[in-house]
Every structure is written in C-alpha cells, then in structure tokens.
Amino acid sequence: MVCLSAFLSLQVSLWVALAGLILGIGLRHPVLITLGLLLVVSNRSSSSLAVLQAPLPDRVAGIAQLMSDPEQQLFGTQVLLSIDGRRYLASAPIENSSVVRSLMMGEHLMVTGRVSALRGAPEGWLRARHIAGRLQLSTVSATGSSAPWYSLANAVHRTVTAGASSFDEEQRTLYLGLVMGDDRGQSDLMRFRFQASGLSHLLAVSGQNVAFLLAVAAPLLRRMPQRVQLLSGVLILILFALVTRGEPSVLRAAVMAGIALSSIAAGRVTSGIRLLSMTVIVLVLIDPLLVHSIGFQLSISATAGLLLFARPLSERLVGPSWLRLPLAVTLVAQAATAPVLVALAGGIPAAATPANLLAVPAAGFVMMLGVTVGVLAGLLRNPIAGFVQAPSELLVRWIDLVATRSSQSQLPLLRPQQLVLIALATLLLLVLCSKVMVLRIPRFASYQRLRILGGCAALAFLGMACRPASPPIGRTEVTDEATLWVGNCGGQVLMLGSETNSNELLTSLWGYGVRRLDLVVVSASATASRSARVVTEQFAVRRVLSVTDRSPPGMSPLGSFSWTVGGLQVAADRSRATTTGGARTARVARMDSACRSDR
C-alpha cells in the first residue's frame, strides 16, 4: 500500500501524532482524529518522496523558476531551480553568472543543462528542500517574469539591502542576516563564530522577528475594523515570509501568528501549546517533508519549551525581574533544543548562555529598526541613509563583538555527559532557592547547612562541566588536510595541507579545545594560505610559517631553520624538497626534554 511506506518516516509520524493528540484534547475522538491526520500526511509524504526518488533525466530544457536567491561561489553561481515540477541545485559557470546573479527568488530563467545525482549532501537537507539532483547549466537567459507577490517581496528585499550600503562588507552581511535571514555573503569565519558562541539562531529569521514585526505594525492595525485587521495582519505575515525566503522557522512563526490572529478575531482564547499543535499540523499537511529540516525541528522544540517552562522557571529563579525572564528563556531554549544540537554538532557551547543574554536584546532592536528605519534608509541616499542607520550599525558591531569574544573564550563545548552535570546542578539550585526552603531557613539551622552543602555541590558540578578543554598531547588529525601537534610542555603546532577547508578546520580545532597556536605551517597552496589567514583571525597565533622560500605576506619562510616550541621541533623536510622551490614539506618531532620556545 502506498501510504504505508510513508510510515517508515518516523519523524513525520511522531510530529503529527503528538500534535494531533494535543489538538484532540477536549474533543470526542482524539485518537481517530490523530489516525486520520496520520493517514493523510503519510499519503502526501509518500507522494513527495516518490517524486524525489524518480529516475533523473539526462538533460533538461525550458523555463525554470528560482526557488532561492543566487549565491556566488568560487567558480560560478549556485541557485535552487524548479523545472518540470522538480527542484535542482543548479550551478552556472562564470560566463553565465552575471545573468543569474541579477535575478531573485520567484523570477524565471530559460535554461538548458545536464542533470546528475547530488552526492555527499545530507539526506534530510535534500528532502526538506525537495532537491532531486544537481543541474549543471549550459545556457541561461532571463525571461524577466515573476508573480506580483514575488515582485513586491523582492522590491522590499532590495530596499532593505540598499539601506545597508553604509555598512562595511562584514557588518552589512550580518545586518541582512539579522533582519532578513540573508546569509549569502557571510564568511566562514563569521558563521563559525556565531555557531561557537551559540548565536546561530540570530542569523535565521524566526518567531522573534515575526513578533517584532507585528509589534511595529500593531498601532496601525488597531485602527482598522476587525476583519480588515485580520486580513492586513495575514498579508503582512505572508509578505514577510516571502521577503525572508520562507525559511522553516519563519513559516512556523508566521503560521502560528496567523492562527493566533484568527483566534482573536473569532473571540476565542487558545493556549499557546494548542496554537503550536495546529501550526505543526497545517505545515506538515502542506509539506510533510518539512519535518526533515533542522531549522523546523529547532524552531518547534524551542517554541514548545518556551511555552511550557519559561515562565515557571523565571518565577523560581532568584534575582531582579529584568534578569530572571531573559535568563529563563535562554536556559529553556537551550535545554529544549539540546537533543537536536547534540545529534547535529555534538553538544552546546558553554558560552551560549552569557552570549545570548548580551546579544539577543541588541538583536531585537536591530530587527525592529530593520523593518522601519532600514526600509526608510533604502529610499534615501548617503550620507543621510548612513546617519539614520547609525544606531543599527552600533548594535550590529556589538553583536559581532559578543560573538567574537564568546567564540574565543576558554569555555568548552558541552557534550552529553557535561550536560547531565549541568542539569543536576540546575536542579539542585532550583530546589535550594525555592520559596519553601528560603522561608524555612531562619527557623531551622539544618536547612541552612543543607543549603550550603547543596550549593557547593551544584558549583562543583558546574565547575566540572565548564572546565576548559585542552587538546590531546601528541599528533591529532583534526581534518583530512590538517594535523595538530601538541607537546608535553604545551607547545601547539598546526600543519595545513593543500586542500584545507577553513570552515571544517575552525570547527574541528575549536572542538578539540584549541584557543591558541604557537606555529602554523602552511603548504604551497592558495587554499592553505587562505585557511591560515582565517585561523590567525580566530585563534591567538604566534607565527605562521610557509614551506616555500617565497612566503606570502604575513608569513615567514621555514627555510633551513629549526623551530622549537614547548617540546616540539619543526624543521624543513629536505628529503622531499625540489630544486627550484626550496622546502615543500615540513616535519615535526617531539622533544619531551626540551621545554623551551626559541628558533
């Protein structure tokens, strides 16, 4: 039976079953309602998977619609295209890149190209985006047509982008990511810093952006009749979803807000968890494969956690009210998304809690200014546009500073065993700081001693969990093209191969606990040189050595010298040198008895 195959997708079944049961509470037949939803969603999921798994044609030709904004790559432009009812991750060569880069999502192209299977990409990522394969474009020509709603959304997108012209390149890409989720221009270093500091969610437009958008529009909406108010609110949400390119977190927030507006217009009070359940059902009925999206899973998990536990936790925390609620929101969101993040990245950055407390309020102001002052600045010219954008620029620089300093801190990546210790410490603190314990302390001295002992135990658990990580002594292959050497005396040497991927390299080094490097030895490769520059920007590096006699700027030639740092000796490997280019490789030896750093 066709629909039975869809039950193999456990994620779809679990999401729909849970949402259906919650929504069915209070109705006469919640189980029957849930089973009916499962059958419908299973059938749709099976049909969608059948389209993805159908045999690919050798070539395609015709009119294609852009399903994403073009993204410039090293050797051309990449874009998601829909043609003949199927989606392809298309690559345009450099000679055709100018035509593709001038277009935006929703616009059309006349294309011909060769189709191949897309290998190496995560299956969940492919399913969530309905990508059937790769398309190498041969010919490209613009048709200039798009639907009116896409034209309006693209006009707003271009206006906000133009309003950020006064920012420098790095800050502009961060600003556009905060306001519209446009992360195409962000460097590998910026993505890593926000990931290592637990701030990646700020670069993906989510419910917070939708809440601020409705808050800005509220004074105008209140002056409208109720039906017009509902229609206008829904149209604003649809436009915002199109401007931000319909990311899963935006779709969740927009649909949930639309259902909430409908409930208010109908005079009904609906709990937040039922609103979330209805949102899941609506989205999964429309696109069952959406549950494979990491963004969708994180958004639903975080929202459910906040609805259930944020306020109760804030009431049990001690301290001023202005700190309790933000702290509770941060802790609950991290706990709710921990299972997804542990499976995805191995853990949660310990710096995430302080970083979010410092950056999230500033990000909220940037979002509000982006949909108001940012649009106005796009209609003005510099220097006036730069003047009105000055507050946003200062806030963006602050967020960037928080992400940079947090990613460079000694706080480790919290893995499952460390998260268990933090959970125990949090539970102890909540019990000890509860109102019952506080009221009994003056009467019974035993409770005072118990509270002190429990507090010491909680601090010990936190200390063990947040103990700075240190890389293992000896040789470690951090990536396929990068080797880390650590001496007994603390010396750290990184050797970069010719095809080093900077994003993978940064993540691996940080995960091993590297925060400083004595020497970085770079092979004769432009890719390795670029990776070395990124490493020096993120970590404290004493010196960068090049194995070539003619070293790039900022690097020293390895030459015939021998470098000794913290029990490690680095020297040229002359046995593999060429007659024209000098030393092409280097060797590292451990010197356990030599705990010095010199040349």
Side-chain angles (χ1 to χ4, degrees):
M1 189 175 179
V2 176
C3 64
L4 288 179
S5 62
F7 277 102
L8 297 176
S9 177
L10 184 59
Q11 290 175 303
V12 178
S13 301
L14 289 177
W15 282 108
V16 177
L18 181 60
L21 288 174
I22 294 174
L23 187 61
I25 294 175
L27 301 179
R28 298 187 67 179
H29 303 291
V31 177
L32 292 179
I33 293 174
T34 303
L35 290 176
L37 288 171
L38 279 171
L39 288 173
V40 173
V41 172
S42 298
N43 187 43
R44 290 184 55 79
S45 177
S46 179
S47 301
S48 300
L49 288 175
V51 173
L52 289 180
Q53 296 169 358
L56 294 173
D58 294 331
R59 298 185 64 84
V60 295
I63 297 178
Q65 182 181 16
L66 275 70
M67 306 306 296
S68 69
D69 291 327
E71 183 174 358
Q72 187 172 357
Q73 303 287 327
L74 186 61
F75 299 106
T77 303
Q78 182 174 279
V79 66
L80 183 61
L81 293 179
S82 175
I83 182 170
D84 297 332
R86 306 185 76 177
R87 293 186 183 182
Y88 301 95
L89 192 63
S91 300
I94 295 178
E95 55 270 20
N96 294 326
S97 290
S98 59
V99 177
V100 179
R101 285 202 306 269
S102 63
L103 302 178
M104 300 186 75
M105 180 178 173
E107 297 180 339
H108 292 80
L109 284 170
M110 183 70 71
V111 301
T112 61
R114 179 172 51 84
V115 177
S116 61
L118 185 57
R119 306 186 187 280
E123 185 178 359
W125 183 81
L126 296 176
R127 288 186 176 184
R129 287 160 178 77
H130 296 260
I131 300 177
R134 181 179 295 278
L135 175 60
Q136 184 64 41
L137 298 176
S138 303
T139 61
V140 178
S141 60
T143 63
S145 61
S146 64
W149 46 88
Y150 279 118
S151 299
L152 177 60
N154 290 337
V156 175
H157 198 286
R158 287 189 176 100
T159 302
V160 175
T161 303
S165 59
S166 59
F167 292 64
D168 61 44
E169 184 176 356
E170 280 288 314
Q171 306 304 323
R172 181 170 61 253
T173 58
L174 177 53
Y175 172 80
L176 296 177
L178 292 168
V179 177
M180 298 188 298
D182 188 352
D183 60 353
R184 291 175 295 164
Q186 291 169 5
S187 63
D188 289 341
L189 180 59
M190 178 178 288
R191 289 192 178 98
F192 163 77
R193 284 174 172 172
F194 274 78
Q195 177 185 349
S197 58
L199 297 175
S200 296
H201 63 95
L202 295 181
L203 303 181
V205 181
S206 61
Q208 187 180 14
N209 299 69
V210 173
F212 283 122
L213 175 67
L214 293 178
V216 170
L220 179 62
L221 294 176
R222 289 196 190 101
R223 292 175 170 81
M224 300 178 180
Q226 194 172 52
R227 292 184 178 179
V228 179
Q229 184 180 126
L230 173 61
L231 179 61
S232 301
V234 171
L235 290 177
I236 290 174
L237 293 172
I238 293 174
L239 178 61
F240 186 71
L242 290 174
V243 171
T244 55
R245 305 325 192 196
E247 288 297 316
S249 55
V250 178
L251 294 178
R252 192 277 310 163
V255 171
M256 191 170 178
I259 296 174
L261 291 176
S262 302
S263 300
I264 295 172
R268 299 176 181 176
V269 178
T270 306
S271 66
I273 200 66
R274 286 177 68 88
L275 285 176
L276 180 61
S277 300
M278 287 187 280
T279 301
V280 172
I281 290 172
V282 169
L283 290 174
V284 175
L285 283 173
I286 295 173
D287 183 6
L289 300 187
L290 192 63
V291 297
H292 295 284
S293 168
I294 298 297
F296 180 81
Q297 296 173 14
L298 291 173
S299 180
I300 297 295
S301 302
T303 305
L306 294 176
L307 290 173
L308 293 173
F309 303 112
R311 190 162 297 280
L313 179 60
S314 68
E315 294 173 353
R316 287 164 174 77
L317 293 175
V318 294
S321 57
W322 59 266
L323 177 62
R324 291 201 311 267
L325 185 57
L327 180 59
V329 167
T330 301
L331 293 175
V332 168
Q334 290 175 0
T337 57
V340 180
L341 293 176
V342 168
L344 180 67
I348 300 175
T353 299
N356 275 273
L357 289 174
L358 293 172
V360 168
F365 283 110
V366 172
M367 295 169 192
M368 292 188 70
L369 292 173
V371 297
T372 53
V373 176
V375 176
L376 175 63
L379 303 175
L380 301 174
R381 293 185 177 181
N382 284 323
I384 300 177
F387 176 76
V388 299
Q389 286 281 57
S392 296
E393 187 170 358
L394 289 175
L395 292 170
V396 167
R397 290 184 181 277
W398 166 253
I399 296 169
D400 189 26
L401 178 64
V402 171
T404 301
R405 292 293 180 260
S406 299
S407 66
Q408 293 173 342
S409 70
Q410 295 294 324
L411 293 174
L413 182 71
L414 299 177
R415 303 187 185 277
Q417 59 272 24
Q418 295 163 301
L419 292 174
V420 171
L421 292 175
I422 291 179
L424 291 174
T426 304
L427 183 61
L428 267 175
L429 292 175
L430 287 176
V431 171
L432 296 173
C433 296
S434 65
K435 294 180 180 179
V436 175
M437 295 291 289
V438 171
L439 290 174
R440 290 187 177 184
I441 284 171
R443 297 184 183 180
F444 302 100
S446 59
Y447 282 107
Q448 180 70 30
R449 290 194 296 269
L450 180 62
R451 194 182 184 198
I452 293 174
L453 290 175
C456 293
L459 291 177
F461 287 153
L462 289 175
M464 288 187 292
C466 298
R467 182 178 56 189
S470 57
I473 295 176
R475 172 176 174 169
T476 303
E477 299 290 337
V478 292
T479 68
D480 292 339
E481 291 286 336
T483 304
L484 175 67
W485 287 82
V486 179
N488 288 335
C489 304
Q492 298 184 20
V493 175
L494 177 67
M495 300 187 66
L496 299 181
S498 58
E499 298 297 329
T500 305
N501 181 281
S502 58
N503 187 31
E504 182 184 0
L505 176 63
L506 290 173
T507 303
S508 298
L509 288 174
W510 187 83
Y512 277 108
V514 175
R515 300 296 184 270
R516 66 166 184 85
L517 290 165
D518 295 295
L519 294 177
V520 176
V521 184
V522 185
S523 65
S525 164
T527 303
S529 299
R530 286 194 296 267
S531 297
R533 285 193 292 270
V534 172
V535 168
T536 55
E537 289 182 46
Q538 176 60 30
F539 303 108
V541 179
R542 288 179 55 191
R543 189 177 294 274
V544 181
L545 302 177
S546 173
V547 298
T548 59
D549 291 335
R550 296 180 179 179
S551 59
M555 302 183 189
S556 302
L558 180 61
S560 59
F561 297 107
S562 175
W563 302 75
T564 303
V565 289
L568 297 173
Q569 186 181 58
V570 183
D573 189 354
R574 288 294 173 181
S575 62
R576 300 179 62 182
T578 64
T579 58
T580 58
R584 296 299 182 188
T585 60
R587 57 179 174 82
V588 179
R590 292 175 59 185
M591 303 174 61
D592 297 338
S593 61
C595 293
R596 65 182 189 274
S597 297
D598 53 23
R599 193 173 77 175

